Amino acid sequence: MNRTVDPCVDFYAFTCGAGKPGQGMSFDISDNTITDTMVNQLRQPEKYFDNDPLPVRQMKWFFDSCLTGATNDEKATRSKRIFTDLKTANKDFGFPALYPKDPKPVVDADLLASFLGSSLGTAGTTTLADVGVDTDWRDPHNSKGGYSLLVDQPATMFASTFYSKLYDADTVSSMVLTTLNQGAALLGITGLDAKQLAQDAKDIAQFDYDLATKYSTDDTTRRQYARSYNPYSVDGLQKLAPFINWKTFFNKGLAPVQKTVDGSFRSIVMENAAHLDEFRRQKHPINRKIRHVPKSDPMEIMSDYTQKESSCQNSATNYLMWANTRLYVDANYPSPKDKQTVRDQTNSIIRSILVAFRAQIDILDWMSPASKKGAYQKIDNLVVNIAFPDWGLVTTKDQKYLEQIDQLKAFQLYEAFSPLVNGVPADRTDFSGPSAITNAWYQPEVNSITFPGGILHAPFYDFNYPAAINYGGLGVIAGHELTHGFDDEGVQWEGTGILNSWMDDNSTVSFTKMAKCVVDEYSNFCPLNAPLPCVDGDQTQGENIADNGGIQAAYKAFKAYEALNGPDPLLPGDLSLFNSDQLFFIGFAQVWCQSPPDDIDLLAQILVDPHSPSQYRVLGTVQNIPAFQKAFNCPAGSPYAPIDHCNVWTSEPTSGAPLNAKGEPIVPDNEVNIAPVERISPQDMDKYSAYQNALVTLRDSSNLTIDPCDDFYHYTCGNFPGHSTTFYDLDQENNKVINTKITSDDYQATIKASAALGKLKTLYDSCKKEAQHSTIAETDYLQSKVLNFRKYINQDVPVIGGTGTFDVSATDYGNVLGYLSFQLGIDTLVSPLVDTNWMDPQAANPTTTNGNQLFIDQATTYHVRAFYEDGNWEKQKPAYKSQVKTILEAYVKQDTTAALPADYDKMIDDALDLEKKIAITYSGTDAERRNYLRQWNPLKKNQMPPTVDWDAYFTFAPQVVQDWVTKDNKDIIMNEQEYTSKMFTYLGNQNDKDVINYLFIRLLLANSGVIPCYNEQCVSVMRELSVKNVPEHTGKGRIPSKRHPLPSFAPLNEEDADGVGCADEISVLPDAQGRVYIDARFPTDDDRKTIRDKTAGVMTNIVDAMKGMILQLDWMHQDAKDKAVKKASSIQVNVAFPDFILDNAKLDAKYADLVFANDDSYYAMLDKVTVYSINEQFKMLTAKKADRTDFLGQTATVNAWYAPELNSITFPAGILQQPFFDVNYPAGLNYGGLGVVAGHELTHGFDDEGVQWDFDGSLKSWMDKDSQDGFDNMAKCVIDEYSQFCPLPEDRSPHCTDGTRTQGENIADNGGIHSAWRAYQAHIELDGPDALFMDRVFGEYTENQMYFLNFAQVWCMQKEYLTESFVSGRLMTDPHSLGINICTRVSLLRLGSH
């Protein structure tokens, strides 16, 4: 001590300032004492060890062999052998730097795996991927095995902080060059090009730097362990990171334990998908020790004999840890009494520290009662290892030193990997270190604290010391290690070593605030002059929090001891001046006394050590405990007693929660007061991964500050992180899946094997090329269509300068309408389509010749009918007109024969007003069209409205249509006969100029993507038109106007340029696109069978639940119930994909009529696809029966639909994914997601439209009048209720939901959630509950709650997406209610007597 120094100004100097120059820290002095003890033991003659266990005798042999040492020649021979063995085992791998004349190696995944695996399995060396064994963080107590193999980011040459703080490329390159030259000399290689070798060294150094900085995660981020727990099978890891053959790597790496892995072998990937495919690794061991221990080099040649003995003893400790422990224990605790005494005496201090730390938690004012209970559980379950383990490779006496080294290294590798094959739970009593070492450590993954025998002596502890010195020494160390269980990393682990945080969000915020105070405080400690770095508060925060929390607990424990036992006598002499409180702090500081390190050593510690330098461990800790200020009567504001300081794991006492008899807060078992249940186990890796993905989705989306009973939608979706909606985001992800698959190298052979896939890839490539380098300014792709339009309408077009008399004849109508519909796919005044033969789709009547039927439906306007209704039209027309005007102006700039007349603005007005009249006056209302029988109007061709020459019209149709109407003279169903006839009568009496302009405008709108822009206004309009509308709901229109999707000639955008958009554009070949998607998502027969079986199982339960609901209805007569049950039982369920798409021959036959020429442009291909798709649609007219297995849509779409005319439900593969469904989800999530969707679609079979169709899809109502009245009353309740949902202000029109228009979907939503709920409950009754989440917060949810959470999750929408214009548009036109309304009311209705 240097008592001339004021302790309030520099307590470290006061306590340590009189030390001898070069004096080591107390830890070093203690280690030297241990070494002397061990060397004295090992110097004993061999016969002294005759009665010792074999491992102890082996250590003696090893020590003697080490003293004899090895010659430099022997070392060189061994090194060459190691190199040669590795090179021989990997003969094709090469070493270009030293063997530049060898053929340049081509390093593929197999070669790399073999080399890296051999390096690991024989030498324990890791590089591009580090590996290790630790407890299974999520499931350490599994009886079949509580350990896992960790796969981590690259093992670089230096600690990560070196690269970020003080990296010098030249120095590292020089070091690498020296190593290369030494290697060349060792191997006898001469004649290397010095310049090339220097460049190689530079490249190696740069590669190592890139691994550390670009392909590794920083240590601060990695302090969050949950992000590093990512279970993968070998097969899954191969997909994640294909740069290496992982099966080969594991098999070679695990050779020491003869472990052979297959594709299902499970490992924990420390750095997940974002970067592992670019390399990753862990930088420090998990267990924390109170100080850094440098490892000695067993190969170091010592000239001094005593130093050599010391070095050999250290080697013995490293290689023969437990034999060394036995020798140390026998020397220091020879009798059973000695062994028991050291444990009992030490345990009394440690246990008192635990009690004191618990008391600190008791009075914390920022920790919630629930979190305190978790902290107590952690303290109560702490394992304390003291002095030595209770229990207890094989070398022979005559082996040389280097041979023993090789065998010991092999044994160490065996020991490292053996937990993987032992099949036992994690051992929480594992010391994980020798007894003969001055250290202590905490291991969060087993929640244990270890005090080896090497620290249980002076100056840290002596039974005869004053209590103040013992508590200031070992007591603070014990508190330090205990506090590691409660630092920023420790709080992530619960009491038995499971990675599961027990601290709630509010407590976590306060904890983070406390930790930040410590980080900021220590970051201001700068022992070196600028620009050299200061202490890194982030890097050292764990140790600093432990120091601070430790001294707080130790001081409280000391004062409790003093209160119980009274003060100890004062020390003799001058030291009697110090009272017990002062001795406590002096004893603490004495532990860290050392001769001041030089700047180089200090810099090295600041760069890499998680511990602060000694003087700051004293300053940073003492300044934060007010007891020090009181003990030394320090003025407030002095350096060691600052006014502002951090309160670490302490605060003013607070009343907190009421306590039980044990002094524990009385809190529920969990926050939702549900009895503990089984949690998901990581041992079931696939299921665990599915749970974790669901957990991330729900956690990221929910806002738990909202009361779910007040606003369940925002409770679940309040922080939804998606781009727009769940549906849209998943559709985009599906496009990415397709894009990745269709461009992957390993899929090209599959594409070449199928003509259909080849056509799909051709279209994709052409789309991408066009998006990247648009040709529309160079080539007029619209010209031929415009010329044909003029030709078939037989008129000039007024709006682009046409003059003369405008008179559209019946033939002109027939030609132009037929051309637009059958050649271009643009339906206007009439809409031709094929649907089932509604009256007899299964040809049950012998006179029925076709299961499908030709329909001519009413006009198809550009927007839906509601767009044109009064109140809406006035608001929507200006923007609509602006779009049309912009496109017309752009077109005229391209067509040199066209010119805008002076009154073109009025012409646009007139054309759009005509469209409004067609939509409102001459089209059936939405309510009318919900009645299908009124739409069944069979006509012969000659009975159709005479305004159109129908012979001319059908001339443009596919041959099968022409045969139908002419050759066979079959019926044509005109859906809206009255409206359509009146429309054509009206048109026949009007100025045909408006009709011509309107039809031409529709042609331009449908082909806007091929019209080049010349100003920003045009670009903006085109961008609006390029937006792909993806519904935020399930289902399709009742009558499918286009069973085969037609191409959109809307403008391409940036999504198309990167390929993702083009993956969507090729959906115009839906079955070929679906094949690619299935190959990507469900590549094996097993995958496909599983998804189908699991989905069918859910659907079966939903149907059964619906039948049960029907039977309980009190307003439906029994006869109607019987028919309803029959309909439910007869439903056709289509799951995932149609079978034929997996059969190349059948798929190729499907697209045989589609032929692309080599010189076809992208838009020429789309024209061909249009004609092909129209032909495919009308081919259905030849079918004898309606095909109930027809999917009626894409495979890769996020949707599901019910088809009443087939009585079928379809679940395409695109929706069979999270959050809707996962085969490994708990039932609550699956039934809340896909189950509700299934119930929704099934309920469509029983909504106001569905009840018109019978079990086989025939148009035949099965509901009697009384039952219909009951149904109508229920439907009216729904209409009235939803009509009250008004998301917009009253001055907007509309501002409320249209309950009538949305009734079908609302009834389906309500029926769906009820039937799914019943099905889910039936599943639970039969199969029992599933495991719950392993999460502090979300693990509290029951499966019932998860059901509703996932139901709401499906309807989540980005806040920014819910603009007023979006909501207004939805209210005007959409038959679905807004997602927020679905979640608000859907669970409140009962489809029963209510």
Side-chain angles (χ1 to χ4, degrees), residues 1151-1229:
Y1151 291 100
D1153 293 340
L1154 178 64
V1155 179
F1156 295 141
N1158 292 335
D1159 59 350
D1160 277 347
S1161 67
Y1162 171 62
Y1163 297 108
M1165 292 181 188
L1166 292 188
D1167 287 335
K1168 289 182 175 182
V1169 171
T1170 300
V1171 174
Y1172 162 80
S1173 297
I1174 292 170
N1175 286 332
E1176 285 295 302
Q1177 175 189 349
F1178 289 103
K1179 275 184 182 179
M1180 296 167 59
L1181 290 173
T1182 62
K1184 174 66 176 174
K1185 295 181 180 181
D1187 181 7
R1188 297 185 64 208
T1189 66
D1190 189 346
F1191 269 57
L1192 304 177
Q1194 298 168 246
T1195 295
T1197 188
V1198 183
N1199 208 334
W1201 48 87
Y1202 173 77
E1205 70 274 33
L1206 295 174
N1207 192 26
S1208 72
I1209 290 182
T1210 299
F1211 302 97
I1215 201 173
L1216 302 180
Q1217 60 178 308
Q1218 301 175 6
F1220 292 96
F1221 183 77
D1222 192 292
V1223 294
N1224 292 300
Y1225 262 1
L1229 293 181

Side-chain angles (χ1 to χ4, degrees), residues 137-138 152-153 217-230 268-272 282 284 286 288 444 487-493 499-503 508 511-512 515 519 538 541-542 545 699:
W137 298 347
R138 295 286 194 186
D152 207 357
Q153 60 190 30
T217 301
D218 64 275
D219 289 348
T220 300
T221 300
R222 287 168 62 83
R223 296 179 76 87
Q224 299 301 316
Y225 285 97
R227 63 172 294 283
S228 295
Y229 188 88
N230 306 291
I268 307 301
V269 177
M270 303 282 285
E271 293 297 337
N272 208 344
Q282 182 187 17
H284 54 270
I286 296 168
R288 245 81 61 80
D487 65 11
D488 63 309
E489 296 182 64
V491 295
Q492 302 172 48
W493 306 77
L499 183 61
N500 187 23
S501 178
W502 42 265
M503 191 178 286
T508 299
F511 172 86
T512 303
V519 170
D538 283 311
Q541 67 169 304
I545 290 173
R699 182 190 290 139

Side-chain angles (χ1 to χ4, degrees), residues 1043-1188:
R1043 291 173 184 257
H1044 293 80
L1046 299 181
S1048 165
F1049 286 83
L1052 297 177
N1053 57 30
E1054 55 274 7
E1055 290 180 357
D1056 300 291
D1058 66 13
V1060 175
C1062 286
D1064 186 24
E1065 299 290 350
I1066 59 176
S1067 64
V1068 295
L1069 304 182
D1071 295 314
Q1073 184 212 42
R1075 165 66 178 277
V1076 176
Y1077 183 73
I1078 294 301
D1079 284 346
R1081 280 278 316 280
F1082 308 106
T1084 69
D1085 290 340
D1086 231 21
D1087 296 331
R1088 297 159 188 161
K1089 184 178 186 303
T1090 298
I1091 194 67
R1092 281 180 157 175
D1093 290 349
K1094 294 286 187 180
T1095 305
V1098 170
M1099 191 60 212
T1100 298
N1101 286 348
I1102 301 289
V1103 171
D1104 289 343
M1106 176 62 78
K1107 289 191 286 188
M1109 290 167 61
I1110 291 169
L1111 293 174
Q1112 291 179 353
L1113 293 174
D1114 60 3
W1115 48 259
M1116 185 180 287
H1117 287 184
Q1118 187 59 48
D1119 181 62
K1121 287 182 181 180
D1122 292 342
K1123 292 175 180 177
V1125 168
K1126 181 178 182 181
K1127 179 170 183 176
S1129 300
S1130 301
I1131 195 165
Q1132 167 67 36
V1133 181
N1134 302 315
V1135 178
F1137 57 92
D1139 289 332
F1140 81 88
I1141 69 172
L1142 299 182
D1143 185 320
N1144 279 359
K1146 293 179 180 178
L1147 186 64
D1148 291 349
K1150 169 81 173 177
Y1151 291 100
D1153 293 340
L1154 178 64
V1155 179
F1156 295 141
N1158 292 335
D1159 59 350
D1160 277 347
S1161 67
Y1162 171 62
Y1163 297 108
M1165 292 181 188
L1166 292 188
D1167 287 335
K1168 289 182 175 182
V1169 171
T1170 300
V1171 174
Y1172 162 80
S1173 297
I1174 292 170
N1175 286 332
E1176 285 295 302
Q1177 175 189 349
F1178 289 103
K1179 275 184 182 179
M1180 296 167 59
L1181 290 173
T1182 62
K1184 174 66 176 174
K1185 295 181 180 181
D1187 181 7
R1188 297 185 64 208

Side-chain angles (χ1 to χ4, degrees), residues 59-106:
M59 185 172 67
K60 167 63 175 175
W61 301 336
F62 176 80
F63 179 77
D64 290 347
S65 176
C66 177
L67 292 180
T68 303
T71 66
N72 287 336
D73 286 344
E74 288 175 330
K75 293 177 184 178
T77 299
R78 174 176 177 264
S79 297
K80 282 194 285 187
R81 177 182 55 76
I82 292 173
F83 181 87
T84 302
D85 288 349
L86 193 59
K87 191 171 187 294
T88 302
N90 301 274
K91 56 185 177 62
D92 296 325
F93 195 77
F95 193 170
L98 296 188
Y99 298 96
K101 295 181 180 179
D102 285 358
K104 186 176 181 181
V106 178

Side-chain angles (χ1 to χ4, degrees), residues 11 48-49 65 114 143 166 178 422 452 481 548 642-643 650 686 813 857 872 1034 1076 1108 1156 1187 1280:
F11 185 62
Y48 177 83
F49 299 91
S65 176
S114 177
S143 60
L166 211 65
T178 299
N422 290 342
E481 295 305 331
N548 280 269
I643 296 174
T650 187
D686 292 337
Y813 268 120
D857 202 358
N872 295 341
T1034 60
V1076 176
F1156 295 141
D1187 181 7
D1280 294 344

